[in-house]
Amino acid sequence: MLPPEPPQQQLQPPPPAPQNHVVTTIENLPAEGSGSLSASSRAGVRQRIRKVLNREMLISVALGQVLSLLICGIGLTSKYLSEDFHANTPVFQSFLNYILLFLVYTTTLAVRQELLRNLE
């Protein structure tokens, strides 16, 4: 004999979110094309993007990309050194990474310090 099935609970819809609440569900969002974004809110979005993507941020991202390319080049060089010339020197090859880090970031710090002094 099978045990009796438990009574099914009725699912109630969640209560509506308060209007000033931070979390918004997709049901509360305005429909696309409804024209609910005013010119001031679009300008606010542009202003936030400009605030995040400032010159200093873009320079940092560019320096990171250059550094990653240099590290990739060192990896390729290490591969060719070990395969073609049978030169297995992992400590020296890692040391090159740290020298590049030192050169890139110390130069960047020196340039920023010089710019700050000129602004004062």
Side-chain angles (χ1 to χ4, degrees), residues 6-104:
Q8 300 230 349
Q9 295 178 344
Q10 293 180 347
L11 295 176
Q12 296 178 356
Q19 293 297 327
N20 61 355
H21 197 268
V22 175
V23 177
T24 304
T25 61
I26 192 131
E27 291 87 17
N28 296 340
L29 291 175
E32 287 185 24
S34 65
S36 63
L37 284 178
S38 65
S40 63
S41 65
R42 276 187 249 131
V45 170
R46 279 191 219 120
Q47 190 175 23
R48 287 181 186 164
I49 290 173
R50 283 188 190 136
K51 189 175 184 181
V52 170
L53 295 177
N54 57 18
R55 181 184 170 150
E56 186 174 309
M57 172 70 165
L58 293 175
I59 289 173
S60 296
V61 169
L63 283 174
Q65 293 301 311
V66 168
L67 186 63
S68 68
L69 286 173
L70 291 173
I71 291 172
C72 180
I74 287 177
L76 287 173
T77 305
S78 298
K79 177 182 173 261
Y80 289 126
L81 279 174
S82 66
E83 286 181 356
D84 295 344
F85 299 104
H86 304 291
N88 294 322
T89 56
V91 174
F92 178 70
Q93 292 163 359
S94 295
F95 186 67
L96 288 176
N97 285 333
Y98 290 110
I99 288 174
L100 288 173
L101 281 169
F102 171 76
L103 290 175
V104 169

